Amino acid sequence: MEKDTFFSISNKLEFPLPPSSSSSPMNHHHHQQQHQHQHQHLPEFLHVNWTHSGDQSATNGHFESALSSLVSSPTAPPVAGESVVIRELIGRLGSICNSGEISPPSSHFTGSQMAGKVSSPPTPMETEFKTAQEVSSVSGESNSRKRKSVMKGKAKETTTTTSIVNVSKGGEEDENVYAKRWKSAEDGKTKAEENNSGEVSGQKQGKDSNAKPPEPPKDYIHVRARRGQATDSHSLAERVRREKISKRMKFLQDLVPGCNKVTGKAVMLDEIINYVQSLQRQVEFLSMKLATVNPRLEFNMENFIAKDTHSMVHPLEAAAAAAAAAASAFPYSYQPQQGTTLEALTMQMQPHDGFADIPPQLGNFWEDDLQSVVQSFNNGSLPTSHMKIEL
Amino acid sequence: MHNNKYLKENPNQPLLAYHFIQALTRINLAAHTTSTKQRSHIIKHAAYVSMAFAAGNKRTWTHAVLHNRFPIKTRFHRLSGSRRSFIVSLSRNKETLHQAHLLRSLVPGGHAMEFSSLLMETANYIQYLTAQVRLMQCIVEKFDMHV
């Protein structure tokens, strides 16, 4: 409803519309269209550059005071959605306009801007909505908070308000800088959780510190300090680190079998170390076993067609066995392309279905390191010391 | 957080199997010229390399295995190292520090990481180690079945 008043007000301004529509009925139609596309158009009103000529100094002052009042007292609307917040802001703007008594010719409130922005990419508006949402979420919170990234938080806080202030003061460099910084910060933001509602009063502080050219966005991790906990930066960073570590320990707990009931970092670490050691020992033992087993090259192909629990390995093992069995025909020269070696393997034996899966996956996996290793395997007669050097 | 996505990656089993078995076949071909002990060592190296290969070069531990020399020590050295972890320490911090040091020596490339990323690398390393062990067990089983 407040929106309607605002729309009607702007209607009174008789702003020039795009060439397709110039009469008032078209205005209404345009407005109705815009009603449907609310979210795209509402922020346009906020972004409007109301360039004020010199004779509007009186109304300018009124605008400033009204808008600053709007700015300094963020409402606590329900966190139902950004549209609610926007409507509130629009409503307030509408009230300001009502009392401001805008004179049509001097307002420069062009409808061409509105229409032009119908097809504009929605990203600036989306970001506008994001910050509006944050403002609403901010004002609803009451716990003590600590911003991990001071500049970012301040930029967010100031620019949501300054974007509205921009409406009236469309010229101050400071706010343009803030708007830019806000946009760049939006791009680089990873997780936004907090803003201090009390920081609105510290806006001026932020303005002073932010009077620099926009910096490249950094990848901050935003943290919220809980009630009754220390809020200095060191303890906060410590807490973040501890939470990260405990999260990863929990994941490790799932990996290591039989560690569900173990609690505590020290015992868990012991278990992990033991498990890794046992796995490495197993690899060593199995490799020894494979070394003793491998020289036996005689295999029957029918045995390998039998079903296996580990079905993925099965066709490849069959290939390996077949290749080993037909050692004489196996090509000795190692070729860097997987396709040729695969063909070599398949040539020796009956076609297996499993091979279709493997070649597409490999692509460019073969690197020089493994190639050299395999070549040294090929040569075979090198002593172990040589092996180490090549690895 | 993209870190979590890394943690949830499952080892590419067929790729692992392919590389390892290819290495095995190569080793088999030269079986007549190498002793069993030599061959076991070579096979162990092949296991680690194919493991690192299947995991890709994004991981710190794979990088350490493939490019630097991850000292793949023998069993006995390991056992002597493990006894140290059970020495009763004076404070909790000392113990966790010792455990962290031990873990770093276990996971390839572990000395160059801080603790939280060390844990992540350990998780990935464990995933690939279990896959490799399962693969080797399957192969041994296959060979044993068809004596």
Side-chain angles (χ1 to χ4, degrees), chain A residues 270 291 294 317 365 377 391, chain B residues 28 39 42 45 53 99 142:
Chain A
D270 271 333
N294 270 349
E317 288 174 5
F365 280 113
F377 289 160
L391 281 176
Chain B
N28 285 343
R39 225 179 15 254
I42 291 170
H45 277 271
F53 224 70
Q99 285 171 328
K142 279 282 170 203

Side-chain angles (χ1 to χ4, degrees), chain A residues 142-158:
Chain A
S142 58
N143 286 340
S144 70
R145 265 160 255 135
K146 165 76 184 175
R147 294 167 306 170
K148 196 114 206 259
S149 64
V150 172
M151 293 200 300
K152 238 193 192 217
K154 280 186 180 169
K156 257 187 286 171
E157 187 61 42
T158 53

Side-chain angles (χ1 to χ4, degrees), chain A residues 247-248 251 255 266 270 275 280 284 291 293-294 299 303 310 317 320 362 365-367 370 377 380 391, chain B residues 1 3 7 15 19 21 28 34 39 42 45 48-49 53 75 78 99 116 123 125 130 138 142-143 146:
Chain A
K247 213 192 307 180
R248 285 169 191 180
F251 184 77
L255 271 185
D270 271 333
Y275 189 59
Q280 284 178 335
E284 188 159 351
V293 150
N294 270 349
F299 293 106
N303 295 331
H310 197 191
E317 288 174 5
L362 292 173
F365 280 113
W366 206 265
E367 286 179 21
L370 194 54
F377 289 160
L391 281 176
Chain B
M1 265 211 299
N3 283 339
L7 292 176
L15 188 65
H19 284 303
I21 288 168
N28 285 343
T34 55
R39 225 179 15 254
I42 291 170
H45 277 271
Y48 279 103
V49 169
F53 224 70
R75 214 183 308 169
R78 276 280 164 264
Q99 285 171 328
S116 56
Y125 188 55
T130 48
C138 275
K142 279 282 170 203
F143 276 110
H146 312 290

Side-chain angles (χ1 to χ4, degrees), chain B:
Chain B
M1 265 211 299
H2 63 276
N3 283 339
N4 286 330
K5 283 185 195 159
Y6 271 118
L7 292 176
K8 281 160 192 165
E9 149 210 339
N10 285 320
N12 189 353
Q13 201 99 16
L15 188 65
L16 189 74
Y18 177 74
H19 284 303
F20 185 62
I21 288 168
Q22 207 167 37
L24 268 187
T25 54
R26 302 280 175 197
I27 297 166
N28 285 343
L29 294 172
H32 52 280
T33 53
T34 55
S35 72
T36 306
K37 191 178 168 189
Q38 263 180 346
R39 225 179 15 254
S40 72
H41 199 77
I42 291 170
I43 289 174
K44 190 168 70 163
H45 277 271
Y48 279 103
V49 169
S50 65
M51 213 166 60
F53 224 70
N57 218 7
K58 286 184 198 170
R59 293 273 161 192
T60 315
W61 68 268
T62 65
H63 205 266
V65 167
L66 290 176
H67 296 277
N68 313 336
R69 253 172 272 148
F70 171 57
I72 299 170
K73 299 165 191 148
T74 61
R75 214 183 308 169
F76 302 110
H77 187 95
R78 276 280 164 264
L79 281 175
S80 65
S82 70
R83 281 196 204 111
R84 269 185 248 128
S85 71
F86 295 107
I87 292 172
V88 178
S89 58
L90 294 171
S91 69
R92 235 161 45 108
N93 289 332
K94 241 190 196 174
E95 187 187 350
T96 51
L97 201 70
H98 185 76
Q99 285 171 328
H101 179 78
L102 199 61
L103 195 58
R104 282 174 202 273
S105 63
L106 279 179
V107 177
H111 292 288
M113 298 183 274
E114 55 173 19
F115 196 62
S116 56
S117 46
L118 176 71
L119 289 179
M120 206 163 69
E121 291 289 318
T122 311
N124 191 255
Y125 188 55
I126 287 174
Q127 276 179 326
Y128 276 89
L129 264 180
T130 48
Q132 180 73 39
V133 162
R134 246 183 295 148
L135 168 69
M136 289 170 85
Q137 280 172 339
C138 275
I139 295 174
V140 167
E141 222 179 306
K142 279 282 170 203
F143 276 110
D144 278 344
M145 266 191 346
H146 312 290
V147 163

Side-chain angles (χ1 to χ4, degrees), chain A residues 72-370:
Chain A
S72 58
S73 62
T75 58
V79 196
E82 59 265 24
S83 54
V84 180
V85 179
I86 294 296
R87 259 183 249 126
E88 283 255 8
L89 294 171
I90 296 293
R92 289 196 171 199
L93 278 173
S95 65
I96 291 163
C97 289
N98 269 329
S99 52
E101 294 175 339
I102 308 161
S103 54
S106 53
S107 71
H108 297 278
F109 178 42
T110 55
S112 61
Q113 260 186 343
M114 282 170 23
K117 280 186 183 170
V118 172
S119 53
S120 69
T123 41
M125 298 159 213
E126 281 171 6
T127 50
E128 180 80 76
F129 271 103
K130 266 190 217 169
T131 51
Q133 207 171 14
E134 283 152 21
V135 167
S136 63
S137 63
V138 159
S139 43
E141 288 162 4
S142 58
N143 286 340
S144 70
R145 265 160 255 135
K146 165 76 184 175
R147 294 167 306 170
K148 196 114 206 259
S149 64
V150 172
M151 293 200 300
K152 238 193 192 217
K154 280 186 180 169
K156 257 187 286 171
E157 187 61 42
T158 53
T159 49
T160 49
T161 56
T162 51
S163 60
I164 299 162
V165 177
N166 216 355
V167 170
S168 68
K169 302 179 183 178
E172 284 190 20
E173 284 178 0
D174 253 358
E175 276 127 353
N176 285 339
V177 167
Y178 299 154
K180 273 186 224 162
R181 284 198 78 251
W182 158 68
K183 278 185 182 156
S184 64
E186 280 292 331
D187 295 337
K189 167 173 76 164
T190 55
K191 192 169 50 156
E193 274 191 5
E194 51 176 22
N195 262 309
N196 211 338
S197 59
E199 285 299 320
V200 180
S201 52
Q203 202 179 332
K204 287 176 188 172
Q205 249 182 29
K207 280 186 184 178
D208 291 338
S209 66
N210 287 343
K212 314 168 199 164
E215 295 171 79
K218 288 180 192 154
D219 208 8
Y220 288 107
I221 298 171
H222 291 246
V223 181
R224 177 177 295 143
R226 295 190 207 105
R227 245 187 112 85
Q229 285 179 336
T231 55
D232 58 316
S233 62
H234 290 297
S235 57
L236 209 80
E238 262 297 309
R239 191 175 322 117
V240 165
R241 184 176 161 271
R242 262 182 272 138
E243 280 171 5
K244 238 202 305 190
I245 285 175
S246 64
K247 213 192 307 180
R248 285 169 191 180
M249 293 279 292
K250 283 212 178 83
F251 184 77
L252 275 169
Q253 224 175 10
D254 298 329
L255 271 185
V256 178
C259 270
N260 301 324
K261 306 206 174 161
V262 171
T263 49
K265 207 166 85 169
V267 189
M268 195 57 223
L269 271 176
D270 271 333
E271 286 297 317
I272 290 167
I273 288 168
N274 280 335
Y275 189 59
V276 171
Q277 279 176 342
S278 75
L279 280 177
Q280 284 178 335
R281 264 182 265 138
Q282 262 184 315
V283 168
E284 188 159 351
F285 173 71
L286 283 168
S287 69
M288 200 180 67
K289 210 162 175 197
L290 277 174
T292 56
V293 150
N294 270 349
R296 280 183 269 126
L297 299 177
E298 303 294 336
F299 293 106
N300 283 327
M301 275 311 297
E302 303 96 62
N303 295 331
F304 280 87
I305 298 170
K307 290 294 176 188
D308 182 24
T309 52
H310 197 191
S311 56
M312 276 193 286
V313 186
H314 163 62
L316 298 163
E317 288 174 5
S328 57
F330 200 89
Y332 273 82
S333 60
Y334 176 70
Q335 286 152 32
Q337 293 156 12
Q338 295 83 37
T340 51
T341 50
L342 209 52
E343 281 159 26
L345 282 173
T346 48
M347 268 195 302
Q348 324 294 330
M349 47 184 278
Q350 301 150 20
H352 274 253
D353 298 328
F355 278 105
D357 301 329
I358 303 302
Q361 293 170 353
L362 292 173
N364 306 321
F365 280 113
W366 206 265
E367 286 179 21
D368 293 337
D369 297 310
L370 194 54

